[in-house]
């Protein structure tokens, strides 16, 4: 009884610590940027130190209580042999009274001593230095992982084992880890991923049954999501297994009849009961590969064929017509800029229609570090403009954080802006500030256009539409993270120091539909980019009017 009370008090005390810790949560959407998540590592270390101190103090307190316990048990064993004879000794009688009065008050003092208060006070003093992710971050991180799973066709079991593209990158997930991924999917109404991850959690539970989760909880979620995916027979089998574990489960009893009636109507079942032993055998391993699962569509409403192209390009599949690729060239350009006569710019054609090129070695290491340093403290959740209202808003189809840098903030930012103008020949007076982005867990930006299409509202600078886009790559990415153009079967892979450039508009001012592009999810690595959006105003006599027509010849 003594130990049970102490355990309850320990849990209560530590729960109070967690409540205070969570009161310091900063809802900064940290999952949307890897660089923003770096502070969480420090938070975890700080929390581990406080927890270690708390445990050490509790261990000392428990040792004291253990000594009291041993003393009481010894006295009881001695007295219980012959209670009358024991109490006949006045000293024994006195000591018994003492143990149950003053001695017990000492025990109570140790039991109620709130060691956690000092720990809490220490944490409170550092509360401004600690940062905790929110429930939104947990959901966003889970969705990011599943986005990678879908885009790069990652096997659920391999991913759970910490294996990416055939290489082990992390520790394996526990049954509880898989359960949480399935739970997040379930809350999102995503039954496809719920089946995959609850199935993996169920299979891992067999060898990982010490987890805090319960087998029946896994099966309940798995059964319903399996049904929602159209696999009624398997849902029925799972529900039978659920009833084997919890015979009085009300929802399971209701669902059993519902599933059996549906199968009976379809003519796929004749009997309403199956042998329970056979059911147990089938539940030893849950095989999702035998199910007909329907993957949810992309969140931006992209047509199926374009979406398939997008994912194939992200995976590195070669889709461009070899005849078109054979016409692409690399060359040095000067654009009649005196400095470039001394050091020409390396230009690589990536597409002729629309005209899209890569410029290599156009940003220095020092400039990259300066831009990152200036942007880090200002990174905020990336937004998109609502095409109907023109208001900026966060969205699931763009996961990153961004900051805008003005030209006058630093000489190197000014020089980068000037360099873009010199290379492109465009007037940078009507270009937006430099946007700096860092992508988060599975960070991406689904297929979109940079220009405002007819009927859409774009932020009004008084400069007209976005005529061109310049995109600096400020980091290499180990896997994933390509910029892809699904309608022309083109993928551009991040290369630190390079930049991509393309015109968004035709010479007559209409938007070029072929410039639809996307940022593929970052599989491994941290992706940094910065871009300039250049507008129409002042460009009338700068842009070669026939450029688009010549490139299509």
């Amino acid at each position: 009884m003594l130990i049970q009370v102490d355990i309850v008090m320990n849990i209560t005390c530590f729960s109070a610590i967690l409540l205070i810790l969570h009161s310091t949560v900063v809802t900064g959407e940290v999952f949307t940027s890897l660089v923003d998540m770096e502070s969480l590592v420090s938070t975890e270390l700080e929390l581990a130190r406080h927890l270690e101190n708390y445990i050490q103090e509790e261990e000392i307190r428990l040792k004291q209580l253990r000594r009291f316990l041993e003393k009481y048990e010894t006295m009881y064993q001695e007295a219980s042999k012959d209670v009358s004879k024991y109490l006949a000794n006045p000293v024994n009688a006195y000591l018994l009274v003492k143990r149950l009065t003053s001695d017990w008050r000492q025990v109570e003092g140790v039991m109620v001593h709130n060691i956690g208060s000092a720990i809490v006070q220490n944490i409170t003093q550092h509360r401004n230095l600690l940062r905790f992710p929110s429930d939104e971050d947990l959901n966003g991180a889970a969705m990011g992982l599943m986005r990678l799973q879908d885009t790069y066709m990652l096997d659920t079991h391999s991913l759970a084992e910490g294996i990416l593209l055939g290489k082990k990158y992390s520790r394996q997930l526990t049954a509880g880890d898989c359960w949480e991924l399935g739970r997040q999917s379930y809350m999102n109404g995503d039954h496809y991923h719920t089946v995959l991850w609850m199935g993996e959690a169920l299979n891992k539970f067999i060898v990982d049954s010490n987890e805090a989760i319960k087998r029946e909880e896994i099966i309940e979620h798995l059964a319903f999501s399996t049904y929602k995916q159209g696999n009624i027979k398997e849902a029925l089998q799972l529900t039978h297994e659920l009833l084997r574990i919890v015979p009085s489960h009300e929802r399971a009893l209701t669902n059993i009849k519902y599933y059996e009636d549906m199968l009976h109507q379809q003519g796929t079942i004749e009997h309403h009961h199956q042998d329970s032993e056979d059911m147990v055998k089938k539940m030893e391993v849950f095989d999702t590969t035998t199910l007909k699962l329907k993957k949810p569509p992309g969140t931006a409403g992209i047509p199926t064929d374009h979406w398939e192209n997008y994912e194939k390009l992200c995976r590195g599949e070669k889709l461009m017509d070899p005849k078109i690729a054979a016409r692409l060239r690399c060359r040095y350009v000067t654009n009649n800029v005196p400095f470039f006569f001394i050091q020409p710019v390396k230009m690589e054609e990536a597409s002729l229609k629309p005209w899209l090129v890569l410029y290599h070695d156009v940003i220095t290491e020092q400039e990259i570090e300066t831009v990152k340093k200036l942007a880090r403290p200002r990174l905020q959740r990336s937004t998109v403009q609502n095409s109907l209202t023109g208001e900026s808003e966060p969205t699931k189809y763009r996961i990153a954080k961004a900051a805008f840098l003005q030209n006058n903030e630093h000489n190197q930012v000014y020089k980068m802006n000037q360099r873009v103008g010199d290379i492109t020949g465009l007037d940078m007076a009507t270009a937006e500030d430099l946007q700096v982005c860092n992508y988060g867990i599975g960070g991406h930006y689904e297929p979109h256009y940079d220009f405002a299409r007819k009927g859409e509202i774009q932020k009004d600078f008084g400069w007209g539409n976005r005529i061109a886009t310049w995109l600096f790559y400020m980091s290499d990415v180990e896997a994933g993270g390509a910029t892809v153009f699904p309608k022309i079967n083109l993928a551009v892979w991040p290369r630190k120091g390079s930049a991509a450039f393309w015109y968004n508009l035709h010479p007559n001012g209409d938007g070029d539909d072929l410039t639809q592009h996307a940022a593929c999810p970052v599989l491994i690595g941290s992706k940094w980019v910065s871009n300039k959006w250049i507008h129409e105003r002042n460009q009338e006599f700068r842009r070669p009017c026939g450029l688009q027509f010549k490139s299509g010849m």
Side-chain angles (χ1 to χ4, degrees):
M1 179 65 181
L2 179 62
I3 297 300
Q4 290 177 341
V5 171
D6 191 60
I7 290 173
V8 171
M9 296 194 65
N10 287 347
I11 294 172
T12 303
C13 184
F14 189 63
S15 297
I17 294 176
L18 291 180
L19 284 173
I20 289 184
L21 286 175
H22 281 288
S23 70
T24 69
V25 169
V26 179
T27 54
E29 299 167 327
V30 295
F31 79 96
T32 60
S33 169
L34 287 186
V35 69
D36 205 39
M37 291 185 64
E38 292 175 3
S39 61
L40 299 186
V41 177
S42 299
T43 296
E44 188 170 43
L45 174 61
E46 189 70 19
L47 193 60
R49 287 174 175 170
H50 286 298
L51 182 57
E52 182 181 14
N53 291 338
Y54 177 79
I55 290 172
Q56 288 176 351
E57 293 293 332
E58 284 296 321
E59 286 176 343
I60 293 173
R61 193 162 72 100
L62 287 173
K63 286 180 180 179
Q64 290 178 297
L65 292 173
R66 178 68 64 182
R67 287 195 294 269
F68 281 116
L69 175 62
E70 291 172 352
K71 178 180 178 182
Y72 277 98
E73 287 183 335
T74 300
M75 294 297 101
Y76 171 76
Q77 292 296 332
E78 183 178 340
S80 63
K81 293 176 181 178
D82 189 334
V83 175
S84 298
K85 183 178 180 181
Y86 178 82
L87 291 178
N89 185 325
V91 175
N92 289 343
Y94 164 76
L95 291 176
L96 175 61
V97 173
K98 178 177 178 291
R99 287 197 300 274
L100 297 179
T101 51
S102 62
D103 286 0
W104 183 249
R105 281 195 290 272
Q106 290 183 44
V107 176
E108 288 181 330
V110 175
M111 289 174 63
V112 300
H113 178 52
N114 190 2
I115 294 172
S117 61
I119 305 294
V120 169
Q121 184 178 4
N122 191 20
I123 293 174
T124 303
Q125 292 173 355
H126 296 86
R127 63 189 302 168
N128 294 329
L129 301 178
L130 298 178
R131 189 174 191 184
F132 287 83
S134 64
D135 288 340
E136 181 191 0
D137 288 313
L138 175 58
N139 186 259
M143 289 178 63
L145 194 60
M146 292 168 212
R147 187 181 307 118
L148 294 173
Q149 181 180 9
D150 293 344
T151 304
Y152 299 105
M153 299 178 71
L154 304 176
D155 174 69
T156 305
H157 180 68
S158 295
L159 189 55
E161 293 298 305
I163 298 172
L164 297 174
L165 303 180
K167 181 178 178 182
K168 190 169 181 64
Y169 279 90
S170 64
R171 70 171 183 85
Q172 65 181 21
L173 303 183
T174 65
D177 296 330
C178 296
W179 148 262
E180 185 60 46
L181 285 168
R183 190 179 74 88
Q184 293 294 330
S185 300
Y186 189 87
M187 291 192 302
N188 293 336
D190 176 4
H191 297 288
Y192 170 79
H193 289 104
T194 302
V195 171
L196 293 178
W197 286 104
M198 285 297 179
E200 187 66 24
L202 184 60
N203 292 336
K204 280 183 172 288
F205 188 85
I206 298 171
V207 294
D208 204 12
S209 57
N210 290 328
E211 289 282 326
I213 56 171
K214 296 179 180 179
R215 181 181 174 88
E216 54 266 34
E217 291 178 339
I218 299 174
I219 294 175
E220 182 178 5
H221 285 77
L222 182 56
F224 183 72
S225 291
T226 300
Y227 155 69
K228 293 293 286 186
Q229 279 281 303
N231 297 276
I232 304 173
K233 186 176 181 180
E234 288 76 8
L236 176 61
Q237 292 174 347
L238 286 163
T239 309
H240 271 297
E241 173 66 7
L242 178 56
L243 282 174
R244 188 188 67 81
I245 302 172
V246 187
S248 60
H249 199 290
E250 292 184 8
R251 283 190 299 274
L253 290 168
T254 302
N255 290 342
I256 280 282
K257 185 177 184 308
Y258 179 70
Y259 297 153
E260 288 181 339
D261 288 345
M262 288 189 69
L263 290 172
H264 184 68
Q265 291 173 11
Q266 296 173 3
T268 56
I269 186 172
E270 297 181 358
H271 304 287
H272 292 302
H273 301 286
Q274 297 186 23
D275 181 60
S276 59
E277 292 184 5
D278 184 49
M279 194 67 61
V280 173
K281 290 179 181 178
K282 291 182 179 179
M283 289 305 301
E284 287 179 355
V285 175
F286 186 76
D287 186 5
T288 58
T289 62
T290 62
L291 303 178
K292 296 178 181 178
L293 300 179
K294 300 179 287 290
K295 190 170 71 171
T299 56
I302 307 301
T304 302
D305 56 340
H306 294 162
W307 187 263
E308 290 177 354
N309 265 19
Y310 158 65
E311 291 193 327
K312 288 178 180 178
L313 290 167
C314 287
R315 293 193 292 268
E317 296 185 30
K318 303 293 184 182
L319 302 181
M320 182 177 283
D321 186 338
K323 293 181 180 179
I324 295 177
R327 297 169 57 193
L328 303 176
R329 299 287 182 268
C330 295
R331 59 182 179 272
Y332 289 101
V333 295
T334 63
N335 286 0
N336 292 321
V337 176
F339 177 78
F340 293 154
F341 284 111
I342 301 172
Q343 188 173 349
V345 179
K346 304 170 186 174
M347 187 185 79
E348 175 187 351
E349 293 175 343
S351 171
L352 298 178
K353 187 178 182 180
W355 192 68
L356 189 153
V357 296
L358 300 175
Y359 293 105
H360 298 291
D361 302 322
V362 288
I363 182 172
T364 67
E365 185 72 32
Q366 187 179 26
E367 289 170 336
I368 289 173
E369 292 308 311
T370 296
V371 168
K372 287 182 180 180
K373 183 177 180 181
L374 291 171
R376 279 177 189 266
R378 287 189 252 169
L379 289 172
Q380 295 183 347
R381 174 82 179 264
S382 293
T383 60
V384 299
Q385 284 186 309
N386 186 301
S387 60
L388 299 178
T389 66
E391 296 294 324
S392 295
E393 57 188 23
T395 176
K396 293 180 180 179
Y397 63 81
R398 187 183 188 188
I399 301 299
K401 282 197 171 181
F404 286 89
L405 305 182
Q406 297 180 349
N407 295 331
N408 59 5
E409 290 189 50
H410 197 283
N411 184 50
Q412 290 181 347
V413 177
Y414 172 81
K415 286 183 176 180
M416 288 168 58
N417 182 72
Q418 185 179 41
R419 190 176 308 132
V420 173
D422 289 341
I423 294 175
T424 63
L426 297 176
D427 189 340
M428 300 303 290
T430 55
E432 297 178 39
D433 293 335
L434 184 70
Q435 180 184 230
V436 185
C437 292
N438 178 249
Y439 289 83
I441 300 173
H444 73 139
Y445 192 174
E446 289 184 5
H448 63 281
Y449 299 94
D450 282 351
F451 63 87
R453 291 179 286 178
K454 291 182 179 180
E456 291 183 344
I457 299 175
Q458 194 176 74
K459 186 175 181 180
D460 185 16
F461 292 93
W463 299 337
N465 214 338
R466 290 171 176 168
I467 190 174
T469 296
W470 176 282
L471 180 64
F472 282 113
Y473 292 106
M474 302 198 302
S475 67
D476 295 315
V477 179
E478 187 173 344
T483 306
V484 300
F485 296 76
K487 294 188 177 182
I488 59 174
N489 296 325
L490 172 66
V492 176
W493 298 91
R495 180 176 172 181
K496 191 175 184 180
S498 296
F501 174 74
W502 65 89
Y503 285 105
N504 296 304
L505 307 179
H506 289 298
N508 64 1
D510 290 342
D512 190 342
D513 191 59
L514 297 179
T515 62
Q516 183 193 64
H517 60 286
C520 296
V522 179
L523 181 56
I524 304 168
S526 182
K527 181 182 176 183
W528 282 90
V529 297
S530 59
N531 68 281
K532 298 287 291 187
W533 284 309
I534 308 166
H535 287 253
E536 290 177 286
R537 187 176 173 183
N538 297 350
Q539 314 302 344
E540 291 86 350
F541 301 102
R542 289 176 173 270
R543 181 187 179 191
C545 295
L547 184 57
Q548 288 286 352
F549 301 113
K550 290 179 181 178
S551 65
M553 295 174 60

